[in-house]
Amino acid sequence: MVRYKAVISYDGSSFSGFQRQSRARTVQEEIEKTLFKITNGQEVRIHGAGRTDAGVHAYGQVIHFDLGHEREKEKLRFALDTQTPEDIDFISLEKVSEDFHARYNKHSKTYEFLVDIGRPKNPMMRQFATHYPYPLDIELIERAIKDLVGEHDFTGFTAAGTNVQNKVRTITAADVRYDKERQFLIFTFSGNGFLYKQVRNMVGTLLKIGNGRFPVSQIQKVLLEKDRQLAGPTPAGNGLYLKEIIYEE
């Protein structure tokens, strides 16, 4: 078997997430259907570096899959790119060793979250940015976001019901910038892993801090007390993007 690694992007608006589900359209299902066609009916299972939720987008999701024989890389990438639906794009493709695994090889992820703070909102971006029409002091957010950097137990920012036991993760960078022209806040988080809905819950908490309904110290309080009820609400997934995945050599 020959293993291939691909970097893909997708518009998550019409997907029920990345992972295959019964009676729901997913990124995994669409790519596997395309591989079935171009391999003349062979079942090929793809493996992703992470599972994005319904409505969540990706600039740089990574997948791997095995084929029975080697193919010319650019021809294979082009076939996948042109035969998958238009809301999926194959950016690059390469042959990798048999022990490479998109999910389990050590890597870091970067997520981006777009918040439309314009009043009125931009209707053209309704599926690509989460609208927040309330007053914000961006300086408060800039101060609070720094407290997320480092190794922490992120239990308080995790969705209830997750079965992950170890909730300690390391965030290496956390940043927010204001795009004045588009009236967007752009949050960026990089780290060695993220828990279920962690990024969205961190953004929801930071927005409440910016709105004055939480103190700047609320991030520290959630981390210390590990209580989901102390964090902000979970924003819609339409503003979330899996931006980049970098693997260690």
Side-chain angles (χ1 to χ4, degrees), residues 16-33:
S16 295
F18 175 84
Q19 188 176 23
R20 178 184 282 273
Q21 303 173 35
S22 59
R23 297 184 296 278
R25 184 174 184 256
T26 66
V27 177
Q28 181 181 8
E29 179 189 25
E30 292 292 352
I31 294 174
E32 289 177 351
K33 282 162 59 177

Side-chain angles (χ1 to χ4, degrees), residues 144-194:
I145 199 171
K146 297 175 184 177
D147 291 330
L148 291 166
V149 177
E151 183 180 85
H152 304 288
D153 185 324
F154 285 96
T155 297
F157 291 105
T158 309
T162 180
N163 56 8
V164 175
Q165 297 301 312
N166 181 11
K167 298 180 178 65
V168 175
R169 298 291 186 273
T170 299
I171 291 184
T172 55
D175 178 68
V176 61
R177 65 182 178 89
Y178 175 44
D179 183 334
K180 186 175 181 180
E181 182 178 351
R182 294 192 298 167
Q183 292 288 292
F184 280 1
L185 281 185
I186 305 169
F187 292 88
T188 306
F189 303 96
S190 298
N192 66 354
F194 293 88

Side-chain angles (χ1 to χ4, degrees), residues 76-191:
L76 177 58
R77 187 208 65 81
F78 184 77
L80 287 164
D81 193 44
T82 54
Q83 295 188 47
T84 47
E86 290 187 344
D87 44 7
I88 300 174
D89 178 45
F90 273 75
I91 299 169
S92 65
L93 185 140
E94 62 181 303
K95 179 184 173 184
V96 291
S97 64
E98 292 182 5
D99 60 357
F100 173 82
H101 196 288
R103 182 176 179 185
Y104 297 121
N105 276 44
K106 201 167 184 180
H107 62 271
S108 64
K109 287 189 177 81
T110 297
Y111 282 94
E112 191 172 85
F113 197 99
L114 302 187
V115 181
D116 181 356
I117 60 173
R119 286 184 283 175
K121 68 179 181 293
N122 182 345
M124 305 303 175
M125 292 295 292
R126 67 190 184 280
Q127 293 179 320
F128 307 106
T130 299
H131 189 225
Y132 191 84
Y134 308 107
L136 283 174
D137 185 333
I138 299 172
E139 184 181 348
L140 297 178
I141 297 175
E142 292 172 335
R143 288 164 53 192
I145 199 171
K146 297 175 184 177
D147 291 330
L148 291 166
V149 177
E151 183 180 85
H152 304 288
D153 185 324
F154 285 96
T155 297
F157 291 105
T158 309
T162 180
N163 56 8
V164 175
Q165 297 301 312
N166 181 11
K167 298 180 178 65
V168 175
R169 298 291 186 273
T170 299
I171 291 184
T172 55
D175 178 68
V176 61
R177 65 182 178 89
Y178 175 44
D179 183 334
K180 186 175 181 180
E181 182 178 351
R182 294 192 298 167
Q183 292 288 292
F184 280 1
L185 281 185
I186 305 169
F187 292 88
T188 306
F189 303 96
S190 298

